[in-house]
Amino acid sequence: MEASFSICSVAQRLLKSPAMEEKPDITKAVRQHAQIDEFFTGGFAVRGEDKAAGELEKLADEVRQCRGCPLGSVRTNAVPGEGNPNARIMFVGEAPGADEDAQGRPFVGRAGQLLDKVIAACGLKRSDIFIGNILKCRPPENRDPRPDEIISCLPYLQRQIEIIDPEVIVALGAHAARTLLDTNKSIGQLRGQFHEYYAGLGRPPIKLMATYHTAYLLRNYSPDNRRKVWEDMKKVLAELNLPIPKQAAH
Ligand code: URA
């Protein structure tokens, strides 16, 4: 079935539905339609989480073998990313630091501990979400990712996003936000509003919220910066119809 036909017919049905007359959510409708299509065209023997988990693990093995850029020969461990294969929210950081390089796991150092607090403040657990990075290997001395490294590594993240198909991506910091949105705007300009990430032809765009990286928050801790991150996360929770925890609602 042609994507354009599907989108059109779903949109028409929504527009005719009296219950949805006020504000049809085309993106949600297209996503549901694609899921129904997939169900009726097979692939339901190994479905959902199991299938995604297997694909993510295969991809993680590829990342661990990767020598696609010079970082592959200076790392201790590659850090493919981890979390729920069926996550509704995917966090994307910049690149592993020293702790992540040592353990092969994302966001396990100080910035990771602060990210854990942000996740907990949202009423979520690490096992609810998926955490990945633009680069899968640590740049020496935590320098900024280089364009050639991003070009070489980005397909891994793009494939993770395709497999997980989250409803919202939270881009942590300028490198993640600029890379995923293909823009040079500053994080100050990008944060606070939803953008669209295009995962491929025929796929509905995924909502992307950019916010400050927790490493930036650690370096520039202020009630104002902290409030901004919380404002951004409240928008993410509202978008997903998730409750906003009271103790954190400040
Ligand atoms: N900072 C990142 O961007 N990613 C990590 O995994 C850890 C720190």
Side-chain angles (χ1 to χ4, degrees):
M1 192 182 287
E2 295 260 326
S4 56
F5 172 76
S6 308
I7 290 167
C8 243
S9 56
V10 170
Q12 275 167 1
R13 245 179 284 146
L14 274 175
L15 290 168
K16 277 185 200 149
S17 155
M20 300 292 287
E21 253 163 20
E22 283 173 9
K23 200 177 170 210
D25 188 332
I26 304 294
T27 303
K28 268 189 196 139
V30 172
R31 184 186 292 274
Q32 280 169 2
H33 190 73
Q35 284 165 349
I36 292 167
D37 256 6
E38 192 198 336
F39 184 81
F40 284 113
T41 52
F44 46 84
V46 184
R47 285 198 48 77
E49 204 161 329
D50 287 348
K51 188 175 167 212
E55 288 177 9
L56 286 174
E57 200 37 58
K58 229 169 107 195
L59 188 55
D61 282 340
E62 265 182 63
V63 170
R64 292 186 194 104
Q65 312 282 330
C66 181
R67 296 283 185 274
C69 82
L71 297 182
S73 43
V74 294
R75 71 181 177 220
T76 310
N77 288 293
V79 182
E82 66 183 27
N84 190 328
N86 223 13
R88 299 181 71 195
I89 310 178
M90 186 163 171
F91 285 84
V92 177
E94 176 182 325
D99 295 299
E100 291 77 19
D101 177 65
Q103 296 185 41
R105 298 184 54 215
F107 281 92
V108 290
R110 284 185 67 223
Q113 284 154 19
L114 186 52
L115 181 61
D116 285 345
K117 286 187 185 164
V118 172
I119 293 165
C122 291
L124 300 169
K125 302 183 290 297
R126 263 201 185 224
S127 56
D128 293 320
I129 59 161
F130 191 93
I131 308 179
N133 277 307
I134 298 290
L135 294 190
K136 307 302 190 194
C137 296
R138 181 192 182 205
E141 313 303 325
N142 297 344
R143 63 159 169 73
D144 285 350
R146 291 186 175 147
D148 57 314
E149 294 160 355
I150 295 179
I151 289 168
S152 158
C153 208
L154 191 59
Y156 291 125
L157 179 67
Q158 289 168 330
R159 280 162 63 195
Q160 287 173 321
I161 295 173
E162 271 179 49
I163 294 167
I164 296 162
D165 194 19
E167 286 165 66
V168 173
I169 295 171
V170 178
L172 296 164
H175 287 285
R178 285 184 188 152
T179 302
L180 292 174
L181 296 174
D182 194 17
T183 176
N184 277 328
K185 286 186 181 166
S186 70
I187 187 68
Q189 288 173 296
L190 293 169
R191 63 152 291 275
Q193 57 193 299
F194 280 109
H195 304 268
E196 290 188 333
Y197 170 82
Y198 290 90
L201 267 182
R203 281 174 165 253
I206 298 172
K207 296 240 160 86
L208 185 149
M209 174 61 71
T211 195
Y212 292 129
H213 196 294
T214 47
Y216 170 86
L217 265 192
L218 285 172
R219 288 193 306 269
N220 302 276
Y221 199 81
S222 71
D224 193 41
N225 284 340
R226 185 182 129 146
R227 180 190 56 75
K228 284 177 181 164
V229 172
W230 179 236
E231 291 299 323
D232 299 341
M233 293 312 302
K234 278 199 293 188
K235 288 182 185 161
V236 170
L237 295 174
E239 174 63 29
L240 296 170
N241 288 320
L242 290 171
I244 297 170
K246 274 213 172 59
Q247 73 274 15
H250 51 244

